[in-house]
Amino acid sequence: MADKKIKGVLFDMDGTMFDTETMSIYIWAATARYYNINISREFMMECMGLSTKAIGEKFDKAFGDVLNYETFRSAKNKVMEEIVEEDGVPHKKGLTEILDYIKENGIKAAIATSTSNERAVYNLEEGKVIQYFDEVISGDMVDKSKPEPDIYLLAAKKLGLRPEECMVLEDSKNGIISARRANCLAVLVPDIIPVDDEMIEAADYVCEESLEVIDLIKRINK
């Protein structure tokens, strides 16, 4: 994708904005142990970036004869809420600086997360960053989950922008492929998901640290 002026930044949430993927893996594993089911780390990683509906379908296919996903998800979310209420939502390094820079320079911002709207708003409020965002687009607002482009196309539309005017910040394979398919500027900011060739190929840029995003926007918009 040729460089264009960046007028909007579309943020994935978990693993990109918030340091929640490691916590999520722990909670998945703890909940699985409680119900005495064996969920591999590989399975958990494959679920990252998927919508709640898509995860539910995947979970029920693998474990539905023992436990349905709604029961598992309810227990898992209860543990997550207890941790968040006790410790807050951990920011990724540089998040506030990126959000301040975007706001100060008149660039629009939206969340495009595969999680539910209720969960997204809860995390943004608890993380004390919801005021930075013009729109919050969640997985339950689109028919098709990442890696399909629907969520980023909707986020750009809600901001009143063309996809090619938007930069996407993503950490997952499903997410970065979704951004590329939407024709947004796809920026990979790696987290705990191992980066493979498919992710590198889908990304227009790779920023090893979140703060590199500010310099990238400056270069593109100079």
Side-chain angles (χ1 to χ4, degrees):
M1 173 180 168
D3 289 353
K4 299 177 182 294
K5 293 282 187 180
I6 301 301
K7 297 181 180 179
V9 179
L10 313 179
F11 289 78
D12 171 55
M13 190 173 68
D14 294 304
T16 301
M17 288 177 49
F18 298 137
D19 193 12
T20 48
E21 298 289 35
T22 301
M23 181 169 63
S24 180
I25 291 287
Y26 165 78
I27 293 168
W28 268 78
T31 308
R33 284 196 300 272
Y34 177 80
Y35 285 107
N36 198 29
I37 55 177
N38 182 25
I39 302 179
S40 68
R41 183 181 178 87
E42 181 182 8
F43 183 92
M44 298 178 207
M45 301 289 271
E46 288 173 356
C47 289
M48 290 182 180
L50 296 180
S51 67
T52 301
K53 179 181 177 182
I55 294 172
E57 291 171 352
K58 188 177 179 68
F59 185 97
D60 287 340
K61 184 177 180 180
F63 307 105
D65 58 334
V66 178
L67 180 71
N68 69 68
Y69 182 62
E70 281 306 311
T71 300
F72 181 85
R73 178 172 174 263
S74 178
K76 179 170 64 69
N77 285 348
K78 184 177 180 181
V79 177
M80 175 74 81
E81 288 170 5
E82 290 172 354
I83 293 173
V84 168
E85 288 172 6
E86 181 71 23
D87 301 326
V89 181
H91 289 194
K92 294 297 292 288
K93 182 180 178 182
L95 175 62
T96 302
E97 289 88 340
I98 294 170
L99 293 173
D100 282 337
Y101 176 83
I102 289 170
K103 192 175 185 69
E104 290 164 3
N105 286 273
I107 298 171
K108 296 180 179 181
I111 294 293
T113 176
S114 294
T115 193
S116 68
N117 188 264
E118 180 182 12
R119 175 64 46 185
V121 171
Y122 174 80
N123 283 348
L124 292 167
E125 289 177 342
E126 291 294 320
K128 298 180 172 42
V129 294
I130 196 167
Q131 71 275 11
Y132 286 98
F133 294 96
D134 302 287
E135 298 286 343
V136 177
I137 310 301
S138 54
D140 47 14
M141 296 171 68
V142 293
D143 292 330
K144 295 180 181 178
S145 178
K146 301 174 186 178
E148 298 305 318
D150 301 39
I151 196 165
Y152 284 119
L153 293 174
L154 179 59
K157 182 179 180 180
K158 289 286 189 179
L159 291 180
L161 299 173
R162 299 189 304 275
E164 58 267 28
E165 295 176 315
C166 297
M167 171 185 284
V168 167
L169 303 183
E170 268 285 359
D171 73 301
S172 73
K173 179 183 290 189
N174 289 322
I176 202 68
I177 293 173
S178 173
R180 168 51 67 88
R181 289 177 176 175
N183 200 34
C184 298
L185 190 76
V187 179
L188 180 64
V189 186
D191 186 43
I192 67 170
I193 300 172
V195 176
D196 60 22
D197 291 342
E198 190 175 6
M199 294 168 75
I200 295 294
E201 185 177 348
D204 292 294
Y205 295 95
V206 178
C207 291
E208 294 297 338
E209 295 186 2
S210 297
L211 283 172
E212 294 176 20
V213 172
I214 294 175
D215 291 333
L216 178 58
I217 295 173
K218 287 179 179 178
R219 292 203 310 271
I220 293 171
N221 283 3
K222 63 183 178 182

